[in-house]
Every structure is written in C-alpha cells, then in structure tokens.
Amino acid sequence: MKQYLDLVKHVMENGCQKGDRTGTGTKSVFGYQMRFDLSEGFPMVTTKKLHLKSIIYELLWFLKGDTNIGYLKEHNVKIWDAWADKNGDLGPVYGHQWRNWNSEEIDQISDLIQELKTNPNSRRMLVSAWNPSVLPDTTKSFEENVANNKAALPPCHAFFQFYVADGKLSCQLYQRSADIFLGVPFNIASYALLTMMIAQVCDLEPGEFIHTFGDAHIYNNHFEQIELQLSREPRPLPKMILNPAVKNIFDFDYNDFTLVGYEPHETIKGNVAV
Ligand code: THF
C-alpha cells in the first residue's frame, strides 16, 4: 500500500500543526487524493495488522440503516462505543442517512443500485451522509444531541459517487476529516469492499476506489506509531473473495467475505481521539 505510506509521508513532511475539537492536536494538510485499482488486490494496509471483522460488521451495520451500537456489540465491535448514549444510540448517523435520508424514506442505496442497473452512464449516482439539518450543536454533549434527534458526530466520510465505464464500477469518496493512523485504513478497506459488493450485485467488475480528502491529519499522539509503520516494508496485497451467490446488496452476511493472503506486520495500538 504505497499510496497510504505516501500520504503518511506527505502529511509528516508538509502538515501544519493545528488544534482540533478533541484537544489532542494534529499535523494536518487540506486536500489530497489516493487511487486504488481494485484489480491489483484488496487495499488493506500491511504495515500493521487491521481488524477486518470490525470493518465488515460496521459496513453491514451501515447498510442495514442501523444507528444503535447493539448490533456491533453483539459481534464484539467496539469502534463506535465512545460516541453512543446510554441506550447505545448515535442519532441519525451514516446508516440512517443512507437508507432513510432526512427521515423522508429516501433509500439512497436502493436508488443507487436501481440507477446503476438501468442508467449506468448517469453522472448523478451519489450517496450523501452529510445532512445539515441533523448536525450536532457543538456546545452540547453527544448525549444531548442524540436526545434532540441530532447526530452524535457529523459524518467524516461525507458523500460518495459511482462511475461506470468499460463494464467497471468505480467509487470516489469525499472525506471531510480523516484520522490517518486509525480511521483511514478502515475507511479505505470499507469503501473498497462496498464497491466490490455493489459491482457484484450489478454484474459489473470492480474498477477503482478514489479517496479524496479535506482535512487529512495525524494526531500528535500517533507520531511514534506512524514512524514505526514507515520503518516497515509493505507486503503484497491480499485478495478479497465475495460469495458469488449473493445478488442483493442487503443480503450480504459476515460469512460471505473471505480474505486470502493477508500477511501484515504486527498490530500497533493507538488511542482514539473522542
Ligand atoms: N474519530 C477519530 N478520532 N478517529 C476516527 O478514525 C474516527 N472514525 C469513526 C468516528 N470517529 C472517529 C470511528 N471509527 C477505531 C477505528 C475506527 C473508528 C474508531 C476507532 C480504532 O480504535 N481502531 C483500532 C482498534 C480496532 C478494533 O478494535 O477493531 C485499530 O487499531 O485500528 C473514522 O471513521
């Protein structure tokens, strides 16, 4: 994953020291883009071990339209725990906006699949998680915002667009805010997987995943972990195999995903800024 290591180097060399909402401090750049050709392998970072199980369950949870961490907890996935209220709710975050935009029963994922199947030349195949009407009030706690029907956090991966050419499906994501050490490896794998799943159910081949960033940052308490990753030699990319029998995007289940040949360097721990 040269693309990821290039991003890391770029931000370490060119980033500005910048304060942030969480009070941790970051090195940050504004605007950057990476491209992954999905025919070259599945883009999983190899310079540390990634917990693919969390990535798959999180994506299945988004696709269900679920915004309560109960389902994640059932499967031992903890990555959303820090922001949920006492009932496990996060308010109208990703899953809600994808499947029931602004609570108006607009199912952006079903509409996208329909458009891909019937009008693949369309330039309007977007899904937006960004909804100004549910943005949280930053003077209030996560808990208070959720009680007011606001999202606990504004979406980081804000919207994405699909593109079909030569029978191949590509996806471009705009991520407004990107935690390069913890979140970005998850986000790359998650959207690469979503692109493969949608390609399969629309009888297309996976093309490219293009990852475009707004504020791309490395938290000050991740520098040591980042240097360790830069000292490691990247390994060959694994392959992701989907169960070919699945033809409906909402029918995928954890057992339909098989990752082959993932031989990463060992895990590196880091604290998440809340
Ligand atoms: N907030 C911050 N500060 N960083 C983020 O990456 C982030 N997200 C989501 C929402 N807010 C964020 C949450 N996603 C981990 C990974 C992804 C997250 C949150 C946390 C994490 O701690 N990963 C560890 C453990 C993995 C595991 O337990 O499965 C890791 O080592 O990768 C980004 O969208």
Side-chain angles (χ1 to χ4, degrees), residues 59-60 62-64 98-99 107-114 116-117 162 169 193-202 242 245-253 256-257:
L59 180 58
L60 294 176
F62 289 153
L63 285 170
K64 279 149 59 74
W98 286 14
R99 301 298 312 285
D107 182 345
Q108 297 188 81
I109 301 293
S110 298
D111 293 349
L112 166 72
I113 303 278
Q114 176 68 15
L116 279 166
K117 286 181 174 171
F162 290 87
L169 177 71
L193 195 56
L194 179 62
T195 306
M196 292 179 72
M197 292 157 72
I198 293 181
Q200 173 162 310
V201 302
C202 296
L242 305 185
V246 181
K247 288 295 175 199
N248 180 319
I249 189 69
F250 306 118
D251 287 349
F252 281 99
D253 164 292
D256 293 320
F257 304 94

Side-chain angles (χ1 to χ4, degrees), residues 1-15:
M1 285 269 291
K2 184 176 181 302
Q3 298 94 323
Y4 179 73
L5 295 175
D6 285 346
L7 165 68
V8 165
K9 278 186 229 156
H10 176 76
V11 176
M12 286 308 274
E13 283 164 18
N14 303 291

Side-chain angles (χ1 to χ4, degrees), residues 48 50-51 54 58 79-80 83 94 153 156-157 179 182-183 186-187 219 268 272-274:
K48 69 173 184 184
L50 274 190
H51 195 201
S54 297
E58 184 198 45
I79 58 172
W80 281 101
W83 298 277
Y94 300 99
L153 275 182
C156 293
H157 30 110
D179 173 347
L182 278 181
F186 268 57
N187 304 135
Y219 280 102
I268 309 177
V272 66
V274 176

Side-chain angles (χ1 to χ4, degrees), residues 53 57 64 66 68-77:
K53 192 178 143 209
Y57 276 117
K64 279 149 59 74
D66 196 352
N68 182 287
I69 60 169
Y71 171 80
L72 298 178
K73 276 203 165 327
E74 258 169 53
H75 299 287
N76 228 343
V77 174

